[in-house]
Amino acid sequence: MDTIGRMAGKVGLVTAAASGMGRAGAIRFAREGAAVGVVDIDEARTAAVVREIIDAGGKAIAISGDLRQDAFAREIVHRTVKAFGGLDFVWNHVGHPGPAAIEGIDWKDFELAMDLNLRTVLVTTEAALPELRARGGGSILFTASTSGLAGSQFSPVYNIAKFGVVGLVHGLAKRYAREKIRVNAVCPGPTDTPMLRVFVARPDSQLPPGETPETLVQKRGGQVPMRRPAQPEEIANAALFLLSDEASYITGVALPVDGGATA
Ligand SMILES: NC(=O)c1ccc[n+]([C@@H]2O[C@H](COP(=O)([O-])OP(=O)(O)OC[C@H]3O[C@@H](n4cnc5c(N)ncnc54)[C@H](O)[C@@H]3O)[C@@H](O)[C@H]2O)c1
């Protein structure tokens, strides 16, 4: 693996990194020279991502656990720092679709969405800030969604959470700019990952007769101007740019990566 890349010498962590966009990002950042803390609740898949990175000559450690636990959401920072000697970037990618329905809402699912989209990312950020400051600055990226920029009839609760993420990005960006800590978000449109299948076929989302999660994923992609869902690597490309020094004058941005959906 070529370790002289766009992230050479950087240390970072990626949450929800055993699958989808997080996995694509962890692998890409490592290929660009970063040492990566790969964080996910799925122990086996996390280990597989780390193995893939190390086999290709990169640097990574597996950190498995439940980000709903505050202690774990902090520990991921400390374990990455301990392994690699500091921290330069964080991709707070974990999230959850939450309930589709408002009438008859499942409040447990509401709480899960608030915990995984808002609370845990703030806990990790709180733990990361002193470490980024110690390096003289750094970069934090959140995963919002096009549902953080415009209403979604499929999920008003997801709107609350992802608009919240965008608000957090705006506030943190202004608060920490003087300390050279940049804070941005990527706002993916429908992206071809397991979560998109969960999203379109939630138990309370009233699957139209004859539709399967697979047909719905293609339909949802077909509604985008580019007429297809994104591939996880296309979101990872945007994440790489925003987290790297190439985006040195960009902070407080919520970047749509959505095939034109919010144009
Ligand atoms: N896929 C899409 O269409 C889409 C669009 C916009 C935004 N998003 C956002 O992207 C992120 C999800 O990424 P994805 O689509 O790559 O999903 P994915 O389904 O490929 O991966 C999600 C990962 O999160 C992990 N995870 C779930 N709960 C966890 C927990 N409590 N602690 C630690 N890890 C946990 C899972 O094990 C899994 O590996 C979320 O923030 C989601 O809101 C997704």
Side-chain angles (χ1 to χ4, degrees), residues 35-39 46 50 54 59-63 76 79-81 83-84:
V36 185
V38 179
V39 181
T46 308
V50 168
I54 290 174
K59 288 189 196 141
I61 54 161
I63 311 176
I76 61 175
R79 281 176 57 186
T80 305
V81 170
F84 299 119

Side-chain angles (χ1 to χ4, degrees), residues 68-91:
R68 265 190 115 184
Q69 308 297 322
D70 285 357
F72 180 70
R74 285 188 202 99
E75 190 190 322
I76 61 175
V77 169
H78 304 134
R79 281 176 57 186
T80 305
V81 170
K82 197 170 170 209
F84 299 119
L87 190 74
D88 301 293
F89 71 86
V90 175
W91 186 6

